[in-house]
Amino acid sequence: MTLQQIFSLVFLSLINFGNPHSSKPSTAVRKAPNVILLIGDGMGHSQLSSALYYGQEEPNYLRFPVVGLSRTSSSSHKITDSAAGATAFSCGVKTYNGAIGMGPDSTALPTILETLEDQSWQSGLIATSSITHATPASFYGHVKLRKQEFDLAEQLITSRVDFFAGGGKRFFFRRLDEKNLMPAIESNNLLLDTLKLSAKNWQEGKRYGYLLAEDGLPPVEEGRGDFLREATNLALDYFKSQGAPFFLVVEGSQIDWGGHANEGDYLVSEMLDFDRAIGAALDFAEKDGNTLVIVTADHECGGFALKASTKKVPFRGEVNDYDSLRYSFGTDGHTGAMVPVLAYGPQAEKFGGIYQNNTIYEKIISAIKGL
Ligand SMILES: [Zn+2]
């Protein structure tokens, strides 16, 4: 061993065990990691793969070191909807299609976001649908049926979600019951912006909400711009300013809508948009060093495939051209296919393997606890 190697060893042990003259404990206290959960609604393997062929550059999701598969069936159906799918992540149980934050017997269950808020965590939700839509709502709401979006708007106001961005203004301000929600918005420390995402001088103790469309936001193809990535960066800026660990959910809501509509260009443009938000999350996590990033889907939608175009060949007629892709759809609904799970950061290895969707909840909790 050279002198330099001996010096390096001594130096490393000082880093690992601290300065013996310091009053600090000699072993570092583990800080719980931040968690960013990105949900591509309706994003099966072909949707994910489409970004390999139709993007301008390599997809950001190729940066994930850990891959798993999630089994998506709900308690009531082989094929889940987004409400049961998101409730599996948020409450850790499989429930019936349509349920938001409720178990199979329609009792309200605490969501992961509520549990973490009890422990002084910060929380945020971002979606390109209305913020009262099934996926985001399953993290703060408790209703028997997903269509109760007016009830969910009220529940969001009184929830402890610190930051949210999406659409759904009409469920707050053009209500069928004509209720004025402004007094509740003010008394719950919520600052609402209905015009644009804008950086703020973040105030302590205030919650920030951005409602930027009457219902869902417009598709990327119709001018949504870079909303999903920008909202993700804005949320991360907010959380950093407040200091406490955070749990952020980002949903690429309209990958699903492209699937339902059987419109390949719609679906793929939403997939590429979602991948840009994934890039923002990974950039933050790489710099921060203590952030767990998980990408998954609630279910596949559309029976989407990237199949070969055909070409005419003399004497053989029409044959597959394996060098030319085209979109194909098998259904205008969801399918029962397993969906991908990608993970990066502290305890990411927990997300390798094949498992039920509701165990993603347990994996996140145990990663936070460091178990
Ligand atoms: Zn759907």
Side-chain angles (χ1 to χ4, degrees):
M1 189 178 279
T2 66
L3 260 182
Q4 196 178 2
Q5 282 170 324
I6 292 169
F7 176 78
S8 304
L9 273 178
V10 171
F11 184 66
L12 278 174
S13 21
L14 282 176
I15 292 177
N16 287 338
F17 302 109
N19 179 345
H21 302 295
S22 149
S23 58
K24 286 183 186 160
S26 59
T27 47
V29 177
R30 181 184 180 275
K31 196 173 165 245
N34 306 308
V35 178
I36 307 175
L37 173 62
L38 297 115
I39 302 171
D41 201 307
M43 184 190 72
H45 301 278
S46 290
Q47 285 83 348
L48 194 69
S49 306
S50 71
L52 294 171
Y53 302 106
Y54 296 98
Q56 301 287 343
E57 48 211 43
E58 292 248 285
N60 287 297
Y61 67 71
L62 295 178
R63 295 154 65 184
F64 282 93
V66 178
V67 179
L69 291 176
S70 165
R71 300 171 59 184
T72 62
S73 296
S74 69
S75 72
S76 62
H77 293 81
K78 292 190 179 76
I79 298 178
T80 190
D81 78 329
S82 295
T87 299
F89 304 145
S90 68
C91 299
V93 296
K94 283 184 183 279
T95 189
Y96 60 90
N97 286 7
I100 302 279
M102 287 196 166
D105 58 355
S106 294
T107 50
L109 299 169
T111 73
I112 188 168
L113 191 150
E114 291 165 331
T115 304
L116 293 172
E117 284 278 0
D118 284 343
Q119 295 163 33
S120 304
W121 278 50
Q122 310 179 76
S123 62
L125 298 169
I126 299 168
T128 55
S129 61
S130 63
I131 202 69
T132 47
H133 212 256
T135 306
S138 295
F139 288 87
Y140 63 83
H142 305 277
V143 295
K144 285 185 182 167
L145 294 170
R146 56 184 290 171
K147 65 180 180 194
Q148 294 171 253
E149 287 193 68
F150 291 102
D151 297 328
L152 288 164
E154 289 188 78
Q155 293 185 11
L156 177 57
I157 291 169
T158 54
S159 76
R160 287 166 291 164
V161 177
D162 299 289
F163 180 105
F164 61 83
K169 258 191 273 191
R170 73 187 182 93
F171 301 108
F172 295 78
F173 303 118
R174 287 202 296 125
R175 296 173 61 85
L176 294 178
D177 62 8
E178 294 182 357
K179 205 164 168 181
N180 175 10
L181 299 188
M182 276 320 289
I185 288 169
E186 277 161 24
S187 66
N188 282 283
N189 287 320
L190 185 54
L191 298 178
L192 266 191
D193 193 326
T194 56
L195 298 175
K196 60 178 186 335
L197 285 176
S198 50
K200 305 276 180 189
N201 291 323
W202 307 113
Q203 297 173 44
E204 220 184 306
K206 289 287 182 202
R207 303 162 57 211
Y208 290 83
Y210 300 86
L211 293 174
L212 304 182
E214 286 296 321
D215 216 316
L217 271 74
V220 167
E221 286 182 313
E222 290 170 25
R224 187 168 77 233
D226 209 12
F227 164 83
L228 199 59
R229 192 180 64 88
E230 286 173 4
T232 302
N233 281 330
L234 193 62
L236 295 171
D237 183 62
Y238 168 76
F239 293 138
K240 233 175 160 196
S241 77
Q242 308 288 305
F246 63 82
F247 179 78
L248 173 64
V249 179
V250 179
E251 189 199 26
S253 319
Q254 299 191 28
I255 301 168
D256 182 66
W257 301 357
H260 283 295
N262 283 193
E263 287 177 18
D265 288 339
Y266 183 10
L267 183 159
V268 170
S269 59
E270 294 296 331
M271 180 64 228
L272 293 171
D273 180 69
F274 182 56
D275 185 65
R276 285 190 285 276
I278 291 172
L282 283 175
D283 289 347
F284 176 91
E286 283 171 3
K287 229 187 257 170
D288 176 69
N290 194 31
T291 298
L292 173 65
V293 184
I294 304 140
V295 173
T296 190
D298 44 3
H299 52 73
E300 197 276 339
C301 180
F304 182 58
L306 297 165
K307 71 178 191 183
S309 304
T310 53
K311 61 182 176 185
K312 283 209 172 95
V313 174
F315 309 113
R316 285 176 60 203
E318 203 129 298
V319 298
N320 283 326
D321 177 358
Y322 280 171
D323 217 17
S324 170
L325 293 173
R326 64 179 162 139
Y327 310 134
S328 155
F329 291 92
T331 170
D332 63 0
H334 301 169
T335 71
M338 290 194 288
V339 293
V341 184
L342 314 174
Y344 169 92
Q347 312 243 357
E349 62 281 359
K350 284 185 192 304
F351 294 85
I354 303 171
Y355 41 82
Q356 297 287 356
N357 57 359
N358 56 317
T359 59
I360 290 176
Y361 168 94
E362 291 157 30
K363 290 174 190 295
I364 294 173
I365 295 278
S366 80
I368 287 172
K369 290 182 176 163
L371 298 173

